[in-house]
Amino acid sequence: MRVIVCENYKEVSKRAAEIVADQLNSKPYSVLGLATGSTPIGMYENLVSMNKSGKIDFSSVKSFNLDEYYPIKRDNDQSYHYFMNEHLFSKVNIKPENTHVPNGETDDPQKECDLYEELIERSGGIDLQVLGIGQNGHIGFNEPGTNLCAKTHLTDLTDSTIEANSRFFEKKEDVPTQAITMGISSILKAKKIILLASGSNKKQVVEELMSDSITTNNPATLLKVHPDVILICDKSACSYYDLGVDIGGTAIKFGVVDGNNVVHKYKVDTNKDSSEALINQIVKEYEKITKEYPISKIGVGVPGRIINSLVSSSNLPFDNTNLKQELSLKTGMPVKVENDANCAALGEALAGAGKEYKNIIMITLGTGVGGGIIIKNKIYHGRGDAGEIGHFAVNYDDDKTPCPCGLTGCFEQYASVTALVKLAEKYANDNKDSLLYKLYKENSKLDGMLIMSAYDGGCRIADEVLNEYVKRLSVGILSLRNIFSPDVIVLSGGITSRGDVLLQKLSNVASLDIPVKISSLKSDAGIYGAALM
Ligand code: PGA
């Protein structure tokens, strides 16, 4: 079963109508299975306007409705005959003789049921079946405890259904106690099924539907044996989670995100044997996770270039690998794949230090300099691979700092932590009586944290190193500000655990008219961004 989680009822209705429209456009002689109830009304409204604007044509379509109360007159305004005329049949160009709703006026319900089933068969079977779901899990009027093999039949309604449907009648006693309904086996014969659910009153039953169980106690769960079912539900009807996967050269981080909160996260060592081994590793973890946290979509952040959905990465065994396609085939989930730095920037923009803003530049200071450009809460890709923030030149004729990208004097060559360490080692060697030099010798190398320790210990040389580093960093920050005029610049990377020092020094050297903030999601920004894509 595929799951499409929509923001709200309006989107559920639109998505469902689009699927019906695709069906009619690819097969004008389609046989539709239709449903009543409050849920599909918005879908019918969309279909009516699509028909009016010429986007879909019902002239060759046949329809079979799922059910009808018994007994009931067709002109009773609570009959499903009445409902269908009101919401669809009288408003589109479907031929009345091509529409079928079980006859609630018959004296011989068994004969009506057999005839109905036969008519469906003779029409070639249902191409696309639309279903709602009752609060007790019923589909059509197949109530809990239903017979798995039942075809169209007369059934007693349960108290809970009578109660739920009494809202449409003057009083509960007016609700018919029986109905004619297509059976589970008739429904499962449809080639494709869409199941619509909206509203918090459906949450519990949808939760059961998304669990492992298949039981006649919740008839909708029986749909899981069908190969082509799409559940289209809104957020209020569905406990769903997004899975963010942040693939790194050494570890893959997995984060289960509920709205804007990571509710579960862990990491595993990256299997770099082959692209297949790595993809299978992710699929295996997904399968474990979705047992506990039903997942509705997967976002993946990956280091490297992604051109036309093909991923190539120097740190991973991906070479023109269609990661999106392979993962969605193996998990059955909608999958999005994005550059990892862009993911982190998006995460920070949507759920971190940038969440009050729409236009954000994130600069990640690490071995190199990376980052992402977020415009109106969306990643800016340019032609595909924009956002290489470390690779604009701040020194055009600096032969001493060739960059792997082919330019010289790139921002990365000055603002990365690698550049900071190089600078510190030079200053330390020139000042052998300094604390910085002492730490350098004791550890036989320097790193960001040792430089900060020397600074905290009152070392004048470490202070000078940091002043010089921040001066270089400020050139890039000011340039980015001038080009993009973002609402905020967010700095991330291990060194920003001492963001206090960096921001203080930055305010001494640069007068900026926009805020500069330190990442608040830290190393989780990637999984947030991947999940929230
Ligand atoms: P509802 O009913 O769409 O009115 O919630 C669905 C159903 O009972 O199948």
Side-chain angles (χ1 to χ4, degrees):
M1 185 174 67
R2 259 190 71 199
V3 183
I4 299 177
V5 181
C6 301
E7 275 307 309
N8 48 36
Y9 175 66
K10 196 170 160 202
E11 200 187 321
V12 169
S13 304
K14 188 165 167 275
R15 295 294 289 266
E18 282 165 359
I19 293 174
V20 176
D22 283 349
Q23 173 66 40
L24 301 194
N25 289 331
S26 64
K27 185 178 173 192
Y29 290 88
S30 288
V31 179
L32 297 180
L34 297 177
T36 50
S38 48
T39 313
I41 291 175
M43 178 193 76
Y44 290 137
E45 282 167 3
N46 277 277
L47 291 175
V48 168
S49 48
M50 285 173 170
N51 183 240
K52 283 203 168 31
S53 63
K55 290 196 184 112
I56 49 171
D57 175 21
F58 283 89
S59 61
S60 308
V61 170
K62 283 189 180 162
S63 75
F64 287 88
N65 262 78
L66 273 171
D67 46 15
E68 176 61 287
Y69 289 118
Y70 184 80
I72 200 161
K73 297 272 182 221
R74 40 174 86 214
D75 58 1
N76 182 321
D77 62 5
Q78 290 312 322
S79 80
Y80 290 165
H81 277 87
Y82 192 96
F83 177 102
M84 289 309 298
N85 274 324
E86 185 78 2
H87 292 289
L88 188 72
F89 297 158
S90 66
K91 296 183 172 166
V92 296
N93 67 333
I94 196 164
K95 294 188 180 112
E97 63 272 27
N98 282 349
T99 66
H100 305 85
V101 180
N103 178 5
E105 295 181 3
T106 180
D107 293 333
D108 190 345
Q110 186 55 50
K111 193 167 156 211
E112 168 64 24
C113 292
D114 295 344
L115 184 67
Y116 202 72
E117 197 73 29
E118 200 186 308
L119 267 178
I120 298 175
E121 295 275 317
R122 267 202 267 137
S123 306
I126 290 170
D127 291 300
L128 174 64
Q129 175 69 56
V130 178
L131 294 175
I133 181 170
Q135 286 173 51
N136 62 3
H138 74 201
I139 45 176
F141 275 127
N142 292 282
E143 301 283 40
T146 190
N147 177 355
L148 269 175
C149 308
K151 296 184 175 175
T152 303
H153 62 288
L154 183 68
T155 185
D156 293 334
L157 302 185
T158 58
D159 271 353
S160 69
T161 295
I162 292 172
E163 181 67 46
N165 289 9
S166 64
R167 67 191 197 275
F168 300 115
F169 292 80
E170 223 161 84
K171 48 188 191 308
K172 192 174 161 190
E173 291 66 42
D174 293 345
V175 185
T177 55
Q178 287 191 302
I180 294 174
T181 180
M182 280 165 57
I184 294 292
S185 98
S186 345
I187 292 172
L188 288 176
K189 275 189 215 151
K191 296 181 187 79
K192 184 181 184 83
I193 298 173
I194 54 174
L195 175 63
L196 279 47
S198 165
S200 53
N201 59 337
K202 301 289 169 68
K203 192 163 184 153
Q204 197 184 338
V205 79
V206 170
E207 219 163 84
E208 277 170 48
L209 183 61
M210 305 254 278
S211 74
D212 267 351
S213 78
I214 296 182
T215 164
T216 52
N217 288 332
N218 178 344
T221 62
L222 302 171
L223 296 172
K224 288 189 241 180
V225 302
H226 190 285
D228 192 358
V229 178
I230 307 177
L231 166 65
I232 309 173
C233 57
D234 60 16
K235 285 186 172 172
S236 58
C238 170
S239 286
Y240 82 97
Y241 300 91
D242 299 326
L243 178 62
V245 183
D246 187 4
I247 311 180
T250 45
I252 312 175
K253 289 186 212 148
F254 293 87
V256 178
V257 176
D258 179 11
N260 270 359
N261 298 317
V262 171
V263 292
H264 177 57
K265 65 174 181 177
Y266 66 96
K267 58 184 178 181
V268 296
D269 292 344
T270 310
N271 183 337
K272 294 201 275 191
D273 292 348
S274 64
S275 70
E276 205 191 356
L278 180 44
I279 289 166
N280 286 341
Q281 183 184 27
I282 297 170
V283 173
K284 213 171 101 208
E285 296 302 325
Y286 154 77
E287 282 165 355
K288 263 199 271 171
I289 293 167
T290 200
K291 286 203 171 105
E292 200 177 339
Y293 300 95
I295 298 296
S296 67
K297 53 188 190 292
I298 303 175
V300 183
V302 59
R305 282 183 178 241
I306 305 163
I307 311 256
N308 296 331
S309 292
L310 302 177
V311 180
S312 299
S313 174
S314 51
N315 294 333
L316 298 168
F318 292 145
D319 182 14
N320 284 324
T321 307
N322 198 330
L323 186 58
K324 174 185 161 81
Q325 191 180 56
E326 298 210 19
L327 279 176
S328 58
L329 277 176
K330 289 190 171 172
T331 60
M333 284 283 118
V335 175
K336 275 195 176 177
V337 175
E338 181 55 78
N339 168 273
D340 59 347
N342 282 342
C343 273
L346 185 69
E348 211 58 65
L350 298 180
K355 76 170 177 230
E356 291 157 34
Y357 308 95
K358 283 198 157 53
N359 304 306
I360 290 140
I361 303 279
M362 180 147 117
I363 308 175
T364 306
L365 308 168
T367 313
V369 171
I373 302 161
I374 307 295
I375 299 177
K376 294 197 179 133
N377 278 342
K378 294 220 155 52
I379 297 168
Y380 175 71
H381 291 101
R383 285 190 310 129
D385 55 355
E388 287 296 346
I389 279 172
H391 299 280
F392 62 91
V394 291
N395 194 345
Y396 77 95
D397 64 351
D398 181 1
D399 305 343
K400 286 190 216 87
T401 56
C403 187
C405 78
L407 286 172
T408 56
C410 280
F411 179 47
E412 172 170 295
Q413 301 301 318
Y414 298 91
S416 60
V417 176
T418 313
L420 167 65
V421 169
K422 242 200 233 161
L423 190 69
E425 288 177 353
K426 178 178 178 306
Y427 273 54
N429 278 327
D430 291 347
N431 295 278
K432 298 210 162 61
D433 54 350
S434 65
L435 173 58
L436 187 64
Y437 182 77
K438 187 167 169 272
L439 291 176
Y440 182 24
K441 284 298 123 187
E442 275 171 17
N443 295 279
S444 59
K445 63 179 176 63
L446 282 175
D447 60 24
M449 289 308 108
L450 286 171
I451 299 165
M452 287 297 179
S453 302
Y455 170 81
D456 287 339
C459 174
R460 188 179 52 82
I461 301 304
D463 186 41
E464 275 176 29
V465 168
L466 287 166
N467 285 341
E468 179 60 22
Y469 170 72
V470 170
K471 201 163 113 194
R472 296 172 176 194
L473 178 62
S474 73
V475 173
I477 291 178
L478 284 165
S479 305
L480 289 166
R481 181 257 166 262
N482 289 343
I483 300 165
F484 292 100
S485 185
D487 300 323
V488 63
I489 289 183
V490 178
L491 303 179
S492 73
I495 191 79
T496 60
S497 63
R498 293 307 306 276
D500 55 334
V501 177
L502 297 182
L503 292 185
Q504 171 59 43
K505 291 193 173 297
L506 193 62
S507 68
N508 293 340
V509 293
S511 101
L512 270 160
D513 58 350
I514 54 162
V516 177
K517 295 194 167 200
I518 301 299
S519 147
S520 63
L521 301 177
K522 308 285 178 212
S523 58
D524 284 346
I527 47 179
Y528 270 97
L532 298 178
M533 271 194 290

